[in-house]
């Protein structure tokens, strides 16, 4: 046992890999059937990767005569390195100094990650913001706002480049530092509609991928990706998550990895609140603004405010929705009836005693001045 | 000490008051400067109300020569009784069997209450539903739905006849049993727009008032009224509550009285969620539907589902409301924690790892068997 620990320690010594070492490292990492867990075990069994690469094929064929390890050739790896080079991406192995320290501590850290952009962001404290792809406008506004505030306060924001909440989180933190973790290869933009955002993050922030270059993500890749999002983070903020949302998977990983879980509550009438309310019931911290996150994170992790005064984020008082200058009685009543959760126009018509045409006209006016938002199925809600 | 206890016990014996006793009881209750707390103290000092009425004026004038007690005349009281009679309302004193048992156990129970409608509703388990007057349509739909479901399940719903959530809660529970507690006199309909609802509740449900007949409510009356709403209830459900909402006052009373607090979450972008989200952060149970309420209430109070079978009711046995579940262990731990020096209930709650309701229930039982004593400011001690 002591001997094994010594080996681990020797192996885990942080160092920059030589080009040759990195090639071997990649060969092992790209070998079929060798996942992060197996890779860790191999690290513990062998003195170094070169030795492991030599010993493993024999070991496998001895124990499973019909199987053979498909280790990529040096040439294959050269090709992947060349692809990275062309994209201006790079690879960071688990033992290298640039590999994020916090990610080393999860149960199954990626042996090597592709990175594209400002790698130094990985050395700063990171918070994850995740949530529904079909987020409400309010949810997206909230995500962008809290990402910006936490970013201004010195935290890097990590998310998954997905539609909805992820997108807003990246946009909100573009200028302060945003990190996107992809499920496919570092070059594979998904969803493709986020092409522009991908390039912005690559330029102003950082893109990370565990999958080999060129990999098209399959459904099963997303949970694996999510463990990296939480693994990079001090805490995970979940904004809107329906039943069986991927964000709940990320939250579960966060708990397993000993990270904080924050959830934004929502109306039980909105299915997008199901997941976040469930998390709160199960013990996640209910948050309503960036201060709620900061007070927990700073308290628990005893992090020195990296950049700015604590006072500065106090500006984040939300402006009341219902204090409009609109004197019109119908509009006032409608605004009182509405909340951020979408509701059918027919229900509104039943509820207040105005004619349908009066109501429709008032709704149109409210829409034109940006007070309300329309949703599919004839539903409307207040706009944040 | 022993003598004083005897007096209390003698006085607290549940009995129907004779017409003459009730008149004297009302004279004392309607005396200026004698609030519920003072009334309780008087009950403990004198053998009966008639004796107190005779002794008090002298006592006051001796101690405060410039003051005099304004005790209403028998004629005044006859007039109030006549007014009640005309409205088909009645009065129930603290010691009378129809007075709700659960309300007797708050720190400052009303000495006498006016009732109009089906008084037998007071003998059933009650849950409060309160919330914003300017509620959203979603909030109102939710309130009506949960009131109906909890009502169908056998719980009476109590609220305050206010606009918004209160109104929806009463509407939802009209057919199953709804109780409205007024801030003014039993005859004073407030808000007046709820006139129709007032008459429906008076006919199908029950209206309660602590203030004398004819009283027009002032702002300060509403918190006093709210303590009755929570005091009648096993738990208080808060649906939408802005900053400084009266519903938060009711929730605070519920905590002080050892009742459960349930809160419906909402988007942080909606100011009407401020109060409920705050309650959840402070430990209230986040609820999304009636089952969330039932699972807590039935678990803690071990109430037999009054009407219907429930799948999960396998554990429930026929047990009376407040002294069925006798967890000797909690009581033992509490007795060990307590001494003859008064200590705050909140400290006890912090100290032992039981839920607030379990502790309050155990304390109630200990009080009923004369093992502990209550002091002002929510403090308790062992009884000497």
């Amino acid at each position: 046992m002591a001997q094994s620990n010594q080996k681990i320690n020797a192996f885990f010594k942080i160092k920059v890999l030589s080009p040759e070492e990195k090639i071997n490292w990649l060969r092992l990492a790209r070998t079929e059937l060798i996942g992060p867990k197996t890779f860790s075990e191999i690290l513990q069994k062998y003195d170094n990767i070169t030795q492991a690469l030599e010993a493993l094929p024999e070991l496998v064929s001895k124990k499973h005569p019909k199987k053979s390890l498909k280790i990529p050739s040096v040439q294959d790896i050269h090709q992947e390195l060349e692809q990275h080079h062309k994209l201006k991406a790079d690879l960071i192995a688990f033992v290298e100094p640039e590999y994020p320290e916090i990610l080393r501590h999860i149960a199954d850290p990626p042996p090597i990650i592709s990175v594209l952009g400002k790698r130094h962001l990985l050395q700063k404290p990171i918070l994850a913001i995740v949530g529904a792809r079909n987020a409400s406008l309010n949810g997206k506004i909230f995500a962008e706002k809290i990402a910006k505030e936490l970013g201004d306060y010195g935290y890097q924001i990590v998310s998954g480049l997905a539609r909805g909440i992820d997108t807003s989180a990246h946009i909100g933190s573009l200028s302060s530092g945003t990190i996107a973790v992809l499920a496919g290869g570092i070059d594979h933009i998904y969803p493709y509609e986020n092409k522009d955002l991908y390039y912005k993050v690559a330029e102003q922030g950082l893109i990370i991928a565990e999958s080999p270059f060129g990999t098209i993500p399959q459904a099963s890749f997303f949970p694996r990706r999510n463990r990296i999002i939480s693994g990079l983070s001090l805490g995970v903020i979940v904004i809107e998550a329906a039943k069986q949302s991927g964000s709940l998977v990320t939250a579960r990983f966060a708990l397993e990895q000993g990270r904080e879980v924050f959830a934004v509550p929502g109306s039980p009438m909105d299915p997008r609140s199901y997941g976040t309310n469930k998390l709160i019931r199960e013990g996640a911290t209910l948050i309503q603004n960036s201060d709620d996150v900061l007070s927990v994170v700073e308290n628990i992790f005893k992090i020195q405010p990296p950049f700015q005064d604590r006072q500065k984020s106090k500006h984040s008082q939300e402006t009341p929705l219902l204090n409009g200058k609109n004197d019109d009685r119908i509009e006032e009543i409608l605004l009182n009836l509405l909340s951020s959760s979408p509701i059918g126009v027919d229900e509104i018509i039943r509820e207040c005693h105005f004619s349908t045409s009066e109501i429709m006209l008032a709704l149109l006016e409210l829409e034109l001045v940006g007070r309300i938002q329309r949703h599919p199925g004839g539903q409307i809600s207040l706009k944040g």
Side-chain angles (χ1 to χ4, degrees), chain A residues 201-263:
Chain A
V201 174
E203 199 186 310
Q204 300 179 58
L206 180 70
I207 292 178
I208 297 182
E210 181 185 21
S211 300
F213 199 97
T215 306
I216 296 164
Q218 295 162 24
S220 66
F221 292 10
F222 289 91
R224 284 177 52 204
R225 184 275 306 271
N226 292 351
R227 93 185 191 285
I228 303 177
I229 291 178
S230 57
L232 283 167
S233 313
L234 300 169
V236 172
I237 298 159
V238 186
I239 304 170
E240 294 188 347
K243 233 176 222 184
Q244 296 170 335
S245 157
S247 306
L248 298 182
V249 175
T250 314
R252 207 195 61 222
F253 279 126
L255 284 178
E256 285 173 11
Q257 296 162 351
R259 315 298 160 85
E260 283 298 312
V261 178
F262 304 96

Side-chain angles (χ1 to χ4, degrees), chain A residues 50-274:
Chain A
T50 313
Q51 209 184 73
L53 280 175
E54 280 165 14
L56 281 173
E58 201 180 334
L59 187 78
V60 169
S61 65
K62 214 184 262 175
K63 290 203 171 178
H64 309 278
K66 283 174 189 167
K67 281 193 177 176
S68 68
L69 267 192
K70 288 175 193 155
I71 302 176
S73 67
V74 172
Q75 206 181 338
D76 291 341
I77 299 304
H78 266 301
Q79 195 192 329
E80 187 175 357
L81 286 174
E82 183 58 28
Q83 289 169 322
H84 275 83
H85 183 70
K86 271 190 190 155
L87 192 70
K88 290 183 180 161
D90 210 337
L91 288 142
I92 306 175
F94 177 79
V95 291
E96 295 194 295
E98 284 190 310
Y99 193 95
E101 177 62 22
I102 194 169
L103 189 60
R104 283 202 187 98
H105 296 286
I106 70 173
D108 45 2
I112 193 159
I113 51 174
S114 302
V115 290
L116 172 61
K118 298 181 171 168
R119 310 177 208 176
H120 69 89
L121 299 184
L122 291 173
Q123 307 310 320
K124 297 183 178 180
I126 299 169
L127 290 167
I129 298 178
V130 297
R133 286 192 298 274
N134 73 332
S136 73
L137 183 55
N138 266 333
K140 289 192 265 189
I141 290 169
F142 186 93
E144 188 171 332
K145 185 168 182 285
I146 201 168
K148 180 164 177 22
E149 288 172 5
L150 294 171
D152 288 347
Y153 197 66
Y155 290 90
Q156 309 309 299
I157 301 301
V158 64
S159 195
L161 204 76
R163 272 184 283 270
I165 298 298
D166 286 20
T167 295
S168 300
H170 288 304
I171 290 172
S173 56
L174 256 182
S175 62
S176 54
T178 201
I179 303 171
V181 185
L182 307 183
I186 191 85
D187 59 310
H188 187 83
I189 303 173
Y190 181 86
Y192 192 69
E193 67 187 66
N194 269 350
K195 179 166 57 82
D196 291 349
L197 182 60
Y198 171 95
Y199 288 117
K200 278 183 191 162
V201 174
E203 199 186 310
Q204 300 179 58
L206 180 70
I207 292 178
I208 297 182
E210 181 185 21
S211 300
F213 199 97
T215 306
I216 296 164
Q218 295 162 24
S220 66
F221 292 10
F222 289 91
R224 284 177 52 204
R225 184 275 306 271
N226 292 351
R227 93 185 191 285
I228 303 177
I229 291 178
S230 57
L232 283 167
S233 313
L234 300 169
V236 172
I237 298 159
V238 186
I239 304 170
E240 294 188 347
K243 233 176 222 184
Q244 296 170 335
S245 157
S247 306
L248 298 182
V249 175
T250 314
R252 207 195 61 222
F253 279 126
L255 284 178
E256 285 173 11
Q257 296 162 351
R259 315 298 160 85
E260 283 298 312
V261 178
F262 304 96
V264 180
S267 163
M269 312 285 274
D270 188 336
R272 287 170 293 205
S273 307
Y274 176 89

Side-chain angles (χ1 to χ4, degrees), chain A residues 142 146 235-239 251 255 259-265 276-297 300:
Chain A
F142 186 93
I146 201 168
V236 172
I237 298 159
V238 186
I239 304 170
L255 284 178
R259 315 298 160 85
E260 283 298 312
V261 178
F262 304 96
V264 180
T276 53
N277 289 345
K278 183 169 173 279
L279 288 173
I280 294 166
R281 277 176 68 91
E282 291 169 356
T285 303
L286 184 157
I287 60 150
Q288 301 199 77
N289 50 50
S290 53
D291 279 348
D292 289 344
V293 176
L294 290 170
S295 65
V296 172
V297 175
I300 291 179

Side-chain angles (χ1 to χ4, degrees), chain A residues 290-360:
Chain A
S290 53
D291 279 348
D292 289 344
V293 176
L294 290 170
S295 65
V296 172
V297 175
E298 290 181 12
N299 220 1
I300 291 179
F301 297 95
K302 292 282 187 293
I303 288 168
Q304 194 67 12
F307 293 135
Q308 301 189 3
D309 269 5
R310 188 83 175 71
Q311 277 314 96
K312 226 181 163 180
S313 69
K314 287 272 190 248
H315 63 71
S316 58
Q317 303 288 344
E318 66 260 277
T319 42
L321 282 177
L322 301 173
N323 284 359
K325 293 168 200 163
N326 207 323
D327 292 333
D328 188 83
R329 200 162 146 254
I330 303 185
E331 297 196 359
E332 202 180 302
I333 287 168
L334 287 176
L335 287 173
N336 269 323
L337 278 174
L338 288 166
S339 78
S340 52
S341 312
I343 186 165
V345 172
D346 49 342
E347 284 190 286
I348 296 164
I349 291 168
R350 270 198 301 275
E351 181 72 11
C352 56
H353 305 290
F354 297 106
S355 75
T356 303
S357 53
E358 281 174 314
I359 290 168
M360 298 311 282

